[in-house]
Amino acid sequence: MPHDLVIVANRLPVDRVEQPDGTTGWRTSPGGLVTAIEPVMRAGDGVWIGWPGGVDVALEPFTHDGMDLVPLTMSAEDVEGFYEGFSNGTLWPIYHDLVAKPEFHREWWDSYVAVNQRFAEAAAEHANPGATVWVHDYQLQLVPRLLRTLRPDLRIGFYLHIPFPPGELFQQLPWRREILEGLLGADLVGFQLAGGAANFIRLVRQRVGHKTHRDLVYLPDGRTVRAAPFPISIDAAGFEELARSPAVTARAAEIREALGSPRRVFLGVDRLDYTKGIHARLRAFSELVAEGRFDVEDAVFVQVAVPSREQVEQYRLLRDEIDRLVGRINGDHGRIGRPAISYLHSSYPREEMAALYRAADIMVVTPYRDGMNLVAKEYVATRFEDDGALVLSEFAGAAEELRQAWLVNPYDINGMKAALLEAYAADERSLTRRMRAMRRTVTQHDVKAWAASFMTELSDVHTHEKAVRPARRS
Ligand code: GDG
C-alpha cells in the first residue's frame, strides 16, 4: 500500500534477533535516527525502506512496533561493491578529510549506481501521488535524481549525516558530477553544518555550471533546490530520564567501584573508526601516565570501541594498532587490578551507555572529522547535576554548538595533553558553568526539533524560493 511519507535509508531501523525458541524476530535499533523519525513517520502515514542487514535476505514488507517497513535484498556483490566498497572505501574517507586513503574502483561505482537505482524504484513504488520522500546519507546520493526521473510528482528531501567536503577533496572523485547531479534531484538538501551546504553550492556552480544565489540552485528546467544546515541532535529528555533512573544510578556507582574508585574517570565511546581519533587520544593519556602527571590510582581511561565495518581492511588494521597501544601502556604502567586503560571492544545496551556516561568525570571525544558526534551530546544530556567535563575536537560538528567544552585539535598531542590536565584539575564552579550552558543547548535543540525543522523547510521550499528569488539571477 502506498504512503504519504517515505523514508529511505541504507539500514532499516530494526535489527534481526534470535528468539529463545529458535525463530527470528526484530528489535528496534537503538539509534537516534529512529527516535527522530519515528514520530514523523507515525504522524504522516510513513513507510521506511532499507536494508535489513545480511546477505540475500529476501523479505516481504512487514510492520514492526507500528512502523511499516520495506526490506531490500542485498547480494554478497552488493555488500562488497556498494556498501563496503564505494560507500565505505571511497566516499567515507573523501568526506572525512582523507584521514585514510580512498580507493577508486569502477566496479564499486557500478554497484553503487545499481543499488541506488533499486532504492529509487522501491521508493517510487511505495509513494502516493504527491508524497514526501526523505532520503538519508552518503550511501544514497543518487536516489533523489533517479527517483525524480521515475516520479516527478514527489517532494524529495535529502539529508547528509557526515561532512560534505571542500571542493579540493571532492574533486578527486571520478564521479563527482554524477553525485552532485544525484543530490540535485532533491528539493531540499540538508547538511550538518553551514560549511557543508556552502561547499555543495560552490561545487554545483563550478562543476555543474548552474546558477546559484545564497542557498538556492536554479536548474535549467525551472526547478530550484535549496541547500541548508540542520545540525542533528539527540533525544535529550529520554537520555536524561534514563540517566536519572535508579538502575542506571546504581550501575554507574558499580562501574566506578569496579575501576578501583579512582579520583577521575576518563571515557571514550566510539565506533572503531579511523576518523574518531582513538589512537591519538589514548596516546595523549598514556604519555601523561608515563610522565607521572597521572597516577593509575587517580586516573583511569575507559575506552569503548564498538565493532564496525570489520570486513574492511583499514578497520582491521586500526583494531590491531589500538590493541598494541593499549597492551603496551597497560604492560608498562598498569598495576595488578589497575590497568591505565580499560579497553572494551564491544557494544552495549543503551542503559549501560548511560551508566558509563554517568560514571565518567571527563568525556573525551576527539575525532579528526565528524559530521556531528552524538556521543558528545549524549554525555551532556546525562549530566543533570551540571557536573563533568567534555574534551571535544574542533573538527566534530558538535563543536559549533558546544562551545563551552575544552576544544582541542586532535592532531596536536601536546594540546590534547594540556586539555586533559586542565579538565582533570578544573574546579567545580568552572565545570558547572560550562556544563549548564551546554545542557541548555542540547535540551533546546533536540532531535525532534531537528526532524520537525527539516520537514517544515521541505514543505515550505517553494514558498521560500519565491520570497528570495532575485530579479536577475547572479
Ligand atoms: C554518523 C556520523 C553523526 C555507540 N555505541 C553503542 C551505541 N552507540 C550509539 C551512540 C550514538 C551513536 O551510536 C553514534 O553516533 P555518532 O554521532 O557518535 O557517530 P556515527 O556512528 O559515526 O554517526 C556522525 C551521526 O551519524 C548522526 O547524524 O553525528 O557524525 O558519523 O548515539 O550512543 N548505542 C548502544 N550501544 C553501543 O554500544 N546502544
Side-chain angles (χ1 to χ4, degrees):
M1 209 187 66
H3 292 72
D4 292 334
L5 174 67
V6 182
I7 305 294
V8 190
N10 179 46
R11 286 301 297 262
L12 281 179
V14 289
D15 295 319
R16 242 173 130 85
V17 283
E18 288 270 331
Q19 315 274 31
D21 63 4
T23 59
T24 54
W26 297 94
R27 189 179 47 212
T28 307
S29 15
L33 194 57
V34 191
T35 321
I37 289 171
E38 218 185 306
V40 186
M41 276 213 359
R42 291 187 202 281
D45 171 35
V47 63
W48 187 312
I49 297 174
W51 176 35
V55 166
D56 292 332
V57 179
L59 297 167
E60 289 300 312
F62 64 99
T63 303
H64 172 80
D65 205 6
M67 289 188 289
D68 285 334
L69 307 176
V70 176
L72 292 194
T73 309
M74 294 255 193
S75 66
E77 294 77 42
D78 295 335
V79 173
E80 196 189 323
F82 155 77
Y83 180 66
E84 286 162 3
F86 199 76
S87 298
N88 292 328
T90 307
L91 292 173
W92 183 265
I94 289 214
Y95 282 38
H96 287 91
D97 273 7
L98 298 184
V99 176
K101 198 167 161 42
E103 286 186 44
F104 302 113
H105 297 294
R106 284 164 284 184
E107 38 318 346
W108 286 1
W109 167 253
D110 294 342
S111 174
Y112 187 78
V113 175
V115 174
N116 271 252
Q117 178 70 35
R118 290 216 308 273
F119 273 89
E121 283 164 9
E125 189 190 326
H126 288 88
N128 268 330
T132 296
V133 181
W134 190 0
V135 183
H136 287 265
D137 229 1
Y138 62 104
Q139 302 94 346
L140 302 178
Q141 294 173 101
L142 307 180
V143 169
R145 181 176 193 216
L146 295 169
L147 181 57
R148 186 165 296 281
T149 309
L150 294 167
R151 291 285 306 271
D153 59 303
L154 301 174
R155 190 175 286 260
I156 305 173
F158 179 91
Y159 186 75
L160 184 71
H161 289 257
I162 66 175
F164 190 81
E168 300 78 58
L169 306 185
F170 188 81
Q171 280 165 28
Q172 289 190 7
L173 264 175
W175 307 277
R176 56 201 182 189
R177 191 180 170 117
E178 287 89 335
I179 289 181
L180 295 171
E181 285 176 341
L183 293 169
L184 288 171
D187 297 295
L188 175 64
V189 186
F191 299 87
Q192 298 278 17
L193 305 179
N199 289 344
F200 174 71
I201 293 274
R202 200 174 312 117
L203 273 158
V204 165
R205 196 169 51 240
Q206 291 168 350
R207 285 279 144 208
V208 196
H210 292 324
K211 300 250 190 284
T212 67
H213 177 70
R214 291 193 208 145
D215 57 356
L216 295 180
V217 179
Y218 301 98
L219 302 185
D221 65 2
R223 219 164 49 79
T224 53
V225 179
R226 182 161 177 243
F230 297 88
I232 201 168
S233 192
I234 57 159
D235 174 15
F239 258 96
E240 173 163 344
E241 196 185 314
L242 192 62
R244 283 180 185 272
S245 72
V248 166
T249 307
R251 178 64 191 144
E254 208 174 279
I255 291 172
R256 285 195 76 100
E257 206 181 307
L259 291 168
S261 307
R263 210 164 91 79
R264 295 275 187 263
V265 175
F266 292 78
L267 175 66
V269 175
D270 313 78
R271 269 188 312 100
L272 187 50
D273 194 295
Y274 51 76
T275 59
K276 301 288 184 184
I278 302 169
H279 192 274
R281 150 198 335 161
L282 294 182
R283 213 177 124 197
F285 178 79
S286 64
E287 285 187 15
L288 291 169
V289 175
E291 290 160 12
R293 314 282 284 274
F294 287 152
D295 187 279
V296 290
E297 305 285 336
D298 289 337
V300 169
F301 203 114
V302 179
Q303 176 66 53
V304 176
V306 182
S308 183
R309 305 178 191 167
E310 292 182 302
Q311 302 315 311
V312 181
E313 164 86 357
Q314 273 154 332
Y315 287 75
R316 285 201 294 255
L317 294 174
L318 176 71
R319 182 173 178 196
D320 291 346
E321 259 176 58
I322 294 176
D323 282 352
R324 267 200 306 276
L325 178 73
V326 171
R328 199 169 61 233
I329 300 163
N330 286 340
D332 288 350
H333 304 290
R335 291 182 209 135
I336 287 181
R338 287 279 194 288
I341 299 176
S342 273
Y343 176 62
L344 307 158
H345 180 247
S346 181
S347 71
Y348 294 93
R350 232 167 82 93
E351 293 69 23
E352 184 72 359
M353 301 279 290
L356 281 163
Y357 291 146
R358 272 208 67 185
D361 302 290
I362 300 149
M363 183 80 215
V364 193
V365 181
T366 56
Y368 292 122
R369 183 59 73 190
D370 216 330
M372 176 54 63
N373 196 293
L374 298 181
V375 165
K377 290 189 171 180
E378 287 165 3
Y379 177 70
V380 169
T382 61
R383 307 307 298 190
F384 55 84
E385 285 171 328
D386 290 335
D387 59 355
L390 175 65
V391 175
L392 178 62
S393 164
E394 294 165 24
F395 306 134
E400 287 206 359
E401 291 169 86
L402 305 178
R403 304 303 301 169
Q404 297 80 8
W406 271 270
L407 294 176
V408 295
N409 169 0
Y411 294 95
D412 172 9
I413 303 263
N414 284 346
M416 278 200 287
K417 286 165 74 177
L420 294 180
L421 280 171
E422 266 186 43
Y424 178 90
D427 64 55
E428 209 172 296
R429 271 190 56 220
S430 134
L431 291 172
T432 307
R433 185 180 48 80
R434 288 172 182 251
M435 189 54 77
R436 193 172 285 154
M438 292 194 286
R439 282 178 50 74
R440 210 173 298 131
T441 305
V442 172
T443 41
Q444 279 170 6
H445 304 278
D446 72 354
V447 75
K448 291 208 177 97
W450 167 81
S453 79
F454 187 90
M455 293 307 282
T456 307
E457 291 293 329
L458 180 55
S459 60
D460 285 356
V461 81
H462 299 292
T463 332
H464 181 85
E465 161 205 335
K466 286 197 193 82
V468 300
R469 190 170 191 136
R472 276 192 57 215
R473 294 170 180 181
S474 59

